[in-house]
Amino acid sequence: MQRTCDFLVVGGGITGLCIGLELVERTQKDVIVIDKEVRLGKHASGHNSGVIHSGLFYRPDSLKFKTSIYGRQWMDRFITQQKIPHQRWGKVILAKGGVEKERLSDLQKKVSVLGIKTTMLNDEAIHARWGKCNDAQAMYWPDAIVVDPLMLLETVAMQLRASGGLLILGTEAVNVRWTERAVTTNTGEIRFKHLINAAGPQSLELAQQHGLAKELRNLPLLGSYHRLRADAIENVNSLMYRPPIPSQMHLQPHIILSSYGDVLFGPTTSVA
């Protein structure tokens, strides 16, 4: 079967679905989202902590920061409007010792300039909320949200369809013929005016078919969390992080509360 559209989004994870929904609502054009799997959420978008990324740790002048802040605000509105069950646990960034306190102070100055409302906490305030912690200082941000990732995916997909977009599962982009603006899939051909590459780990392969990013390669990482015992979580009532280390790209281990009520510690990172 041959189909045509204005916008073709390759990849039906949370990124591809949100892009598809935004395109339908903003342009009123024909939008098709395809995904190779027969059901939503088989990969990272359906298997994650459910924490809506804050972007607070990124450099303010970076594209990562700008897209993270916009994406969090968009997701907050969407979750609220669609009445998706979620928890607004808040995030505490806990510093111990002089070096970490200095990093926390730098972070607080950055978010304050950006108009992000946080509260600085001393030893006494930390003890009242989370238990005894000597020589510590913390920054509390109240708007950290946790949601069921699969329920979020399904709701975005439902809104995409309700707005006039087409979501086709079980359809893999086998070959993109860029000059013809056509994609060969396992279920037929799709012709497009614009293509958005949101194919997750396969996005690099698609880009390289177009002659882009030839020097890059994927390094897929798997993050695993440990579930804490009930007797170890008495005072855990928010997400808990350490101040970021500027020279490191990855997060330090942290504590999160999942949408299912579990308290998780991690992640450990390994090559997938």
Side-chain angles (χ1 to χ4, degrees):
M1 177 185 294
Q2 186 181 87
R3 299 179 185 271
T4 61
C5 62
D6 295 293
F7 296 95
L8 174 62
V9 181
V10 179
I14 191 62
T15 300
L17 289 174
C18 288
I19 290 172
L21 178 57
E22 282 281 276
L23 285 170
V24 170
E25 292 185 340
R26 290 190 185 199
T27 69
Q28 305 300 308
K29 301 287 188 179
D30 292 327
V31 176
I32 296 177
V33 179
I34 63 172
D35 195 271
K36 67 179 182 179
E37 303 295 353
V38 297
R39 64 175 176 83
L40 295 172
K42 285 197 69 174
H43 299 285
S45 291
H47 296 81
N48 60 71
S49 65
V51 176
I52 304 301
H53 193 41
S54 68
L56 296 182
F57 291 171
Y58 295 140
R59 289 199 337 264
D61 60 342
S62 68
L63 184 60
K64 270 190 173 182
F65 176 81
K66 293 172 184 175
T67 54
S68 293
I69 295 299
Y70 174 82
R72 176 180 58 77
Q73 293 170 342
W74 186 98
M75 198 63 74
D76 194 344
R77 289 193 303 270
F78 183 83
I79 289 170
T80 302
Q81 290 167 359
Q82 298 300 318
K83 296 182 172 57
I84 303 173
H86 63 281
Q87 289 79 36
R88 198 175 295 270
W89 292 116
K91 172 189 287 190
V92 60
I93 302 165
L94 180 68
K96 283 180 62 66
V99 174
E100 285 198 347
K101 285 182 178 180
E102 186 175 340
R103 291 180 192 146
L104 184 66
S105 176
D106 291 342
L107 179 64
Q108 196 277 331
K109 290 174 185 175
K110 179 183 81 172
V111 300
S112 177
V113 168
L114 295 168
I116 299 171
K117 294 181 180 179
T118 61
T119 303
M120 296 300 291
L121 306 173
N122 58 20
D123 274 354
E124 184 177 340
I126 294 169
H127 178 74
R129 182 157 184 172
W130 295 288
K132 190 169 181 60
C133 190
N134 295 325
D135 189 27
Q137 191 175 27
M139 183 176 80
Y140 179 69
W141 177 60
D143 291 325
I145 298 173
V146 180
V147 67
D148 181 334
L150 190 56
M151 185 176 294
L152 177 61
L153 272 178
E154 290 170 345
T155 306
V156 177
M158 181 181 67
Q159 285 301 115
L160 170 68
R161 289 175 171 131
S163 300
L166 182 61
L167 172 62
I168 310 174
L169 299 177
T171 299
E172 182 175 4
V174 178
N175 181 44
V176 180
R177 306 195 305 281
W178 297 97
T179 55
E180 300 173 46
R181 295 191 177 274
V183 173
T184 302
T185 78
N186 58 312
T187 60
E189 182 180 85
I190 304 175
R191 293 190 171 270
F192 59 86
K193 293 180 181 177
H194 307 279
L195 184 142
I196 292 87
N197 182 1
Q202 282 71 51
S203 59
L204 181 59
E205 180 182 338
L206 279 182
Q208 289 176 342
Q209 287 183 22
H210 192 45
L212 300 173
K214 291 290 188 181
E215 74 284 4
L216 301 182
R217 66 184 181 91
N218 273 329
L219 181 62
L221 299 177
L222 178 67
S224 300
Y225 286 86
H226 298 273
R227 183 180 294 107
L228 299 185
R229 299 192 315 267
D231 60 349
I233 61 176
E234 180 181 353
N235 291 319
V236 179
N237 49 29
S238 65
L239 314 183
M240 306 189 79
Y241 292 73
R242 304 299 287 271
I245 300 175
S247 61
Q248 293 185 1
M249 293 179 60
H250 59 274
L251 279 175
Q252 297 184 78
H254 50 274
I255 294 174
I256 61 172
L257 293 93
S258 77
S259 60
Y260 307 106
D262 296 320
V263 178
L264 308 175
F265 176 75
T268 57
T269 305
S270 58
V271 178

